[in-house]
Amino acid sequence: MFFNESDESKDKVTNEVLSNDSFNNLNLDLINLDLKVETGDKFEVHFYGPEDEKPSVELKDDTLQIKEPKLDHQHGKFWRKGFVEVNIVSQSYNSNLIVTVPEGHHLSAIKVSSVSSDTNFKSLSLDSLVISVVSGDVSLRTVQTGEVKLTTTSGDIGLKEVTVKQGKAQLVSGDFTLKNSLVLDKFKVSTTSGDNLVEDVKAAKYQLRTLSGDNSLFGKNGTRAEVNSTNNTGTIILSTLSGDNTVK
């Protein structure tokens, strides 16, 4: 049997700036777009990917709202004969969204919801950060925030050179790392299946819990520790059902 009909999905690629509007709050509702939010020399929303994946951008008051459209097809090629159809899905586009904020600009709040993509934040200062990802990794580097809430079902969460007053991270399947950072009040991490690692972090108290795994505090087995320091007041709580908790 020969297939006598061939077509390609709507896969015209675009590379363009979607907005240069200034904002203090940012809401993102994404599906497959990889996201980067970082310091730059101006406000900018830049998109690269198939034309039909281009998100809508709308400024309401002081909040920039970005939403990725839901597609009823996948990119690639298909062949059809009668009631039989063969699809070859293309994964070659690596669609991404880059949001830049001018250096020195302090943001109020950022909220991200994503289905299947990686999320990266770098060199930002803000009051509140909320990220919820179904499948994908979350990375924060050189970020200062009063409050952070991170959630992922399948993926890793990594924080480096972060200053946070209060934080919460929830993972179902994935590893959590916090390195070279400062916790001012409390940071709580809960993992169903995965390892938690804290290294070179300034905090005063540590609490570790695991049902199936090891707890290691500065090279020794243990579940609680207090660090004698007049400058550190924060508490870090690590909890996992299946995995190791390590503090170095």
Side-chain angles (χ1 to χ4, degrees), residues 123-141:
S123 302
L124 295 174
S125 174
L126 67 165
D127 294 330
S128 175
L129 175 60
V130 178
I131 302 175
S132 178
V133 178
V134 177
S135 177
D137 297 332
V138 176
S139 174
L140 307 183
R141 181 159 186 174

Side-chain angles (χ1 to χ4, degrees), residues 1-7 78-84:
M1 180 175 65
F2 295 95
F3 294 97
N4 56 12
E5 186 174 349
S6 174
D7 198 2
F78 69 84
W79 291 264
R80 181 188 300 116
K81 183 177 180 63
F83 296 101
V84 180

Side-chain angles (χ1 to χ4, degrees), residues 9-24:
S9 301
K10 300 176 182 179
D11 53 3
K12 179 183 177 182
V13 175
T14 183
N15 185 9
E16 64 177 291
V17 174
L18 304 182
S19 173
N20 288 115
D21 292 327
S22 62
F23 58 88
N24 282 320

Side-chain angles (χ1 to χ4, degrees), residues 20-242:
N20 288 115
D21 292 327
S22 62
F23 58 88
N24 282 320
N25 301 289
L26 179 63
N27 292 338
L28 299 111
D29 186 0
L30 306 178
I31 300 173
N32 296 312
L33 292 178
D34 288 338
L35 172 67
K36 290 184 179 180
V37 182
E38 57 190 11
T39 295
D41 57 2
K42 58 185 175 181
F43 285 101
E44 184 176 278
V45 178
H46 183 273
F47 167 74
Y48 172 82
E51 177 74 24
D52 54 359
E53 288 186 9
K54 183 169 68 175
S56 62
V57 180
E58 183 178 5
L59 182 66
K60 289 186 176 181
D61 297 326
D62 212 14
T63 300
L64 193 68
Q65 299 182 352
I66 302 176
K67 186 174 183 178
E68 180 181 349
K70 294 182 179 180
L71 302 181
D72 57 2
H73 65 275
Q74 293 179 304
H75 297 99
K77 297 182 179 181
F78 69 84
W79 291 264
R80 181 188 300 116
K81 183 177 180 63
F83 296 101
V84 180
E85 182 177 303
V86 175
N87 292 273
I88 300 179
V89 178
S90 173
Q91 302 291 337
S92 61
Y93 293 108
N94 295 322
S95 306
N96 61 73
L97 186 71
I98 300 176
V99 180
T100 57
V101 179
E103 185 175 358
H105 184 81
H106 182 85
L107 295 171
S108 294
I110 297 179
K111 185 177 181 180
V112 180
S113 175
S114 177
V115 177
S116 178
S117 61
D118 294 333
T119 303
N120 294 274
F121 283 74
K122 184 178 180 181
S123 302
L124 295 174
S125 174
L126 67 165
D127 294 330
S128 175
L129 175 60
V130 178
I131 302 175
S132 178
V133 178
V134 177
S135 177
D137 297 332
V138 176
S139 174
L140 307 183
R141 181 159 186 174
T142 321
V143 172
Q144 296 182 1
T145 180
E147 181 181 20
V148 61
K149 295 182 180 179
L150 310 172
T151 304
T152 179
T153 301
S154 177
D156 299 330
I157 295 178
L159 288 73
K160 188 174 183 180
E161 299 173 0
V162 169
T163 298
V164 57
K165 183 177 181 181
Q166 293 185 338
K168 186 176 183 181
Q170 293 180 297
L171 305 88
V172 176
S173 177
D175 298 331
F176 173 85
T177 60
L178 176 64
K179 296 183 178 182
N180 306 106
S181 297
L182 172 62
V183 175
L184 299 174
D185 188 357
K186 180 185 290 186
F187 203 114
K188 184 176 181 180
V189 182
S190 60
T191 308
T192 302
S193 177
D195 299 328
N196 298 319
L197 171 64
V198 173
E199 184 175 357
D200 294 326
V201 174
K202 295 180 180 180
K205 298 180 181 180
Y206 298 90
Q207 299 176 17
L208 281 59
R209 293 190 295 267
T210 182
L211 290 181
S212 177
D214 298 323
N215 291 316
S216 176
L217 280 163
F218 305 108
K220 299 180 180 180
N221 293 331
T223 59
R224 291 178 179 269
E226 292 191 16
V227 179
N228 294 324
S229 175
T230 57
N231 296 324
N232 302 338
T233 60
T235 298
I236 295 178
I237 302 172
L238 305 178
S239 175
T240 177
L241 294 180
S242 177

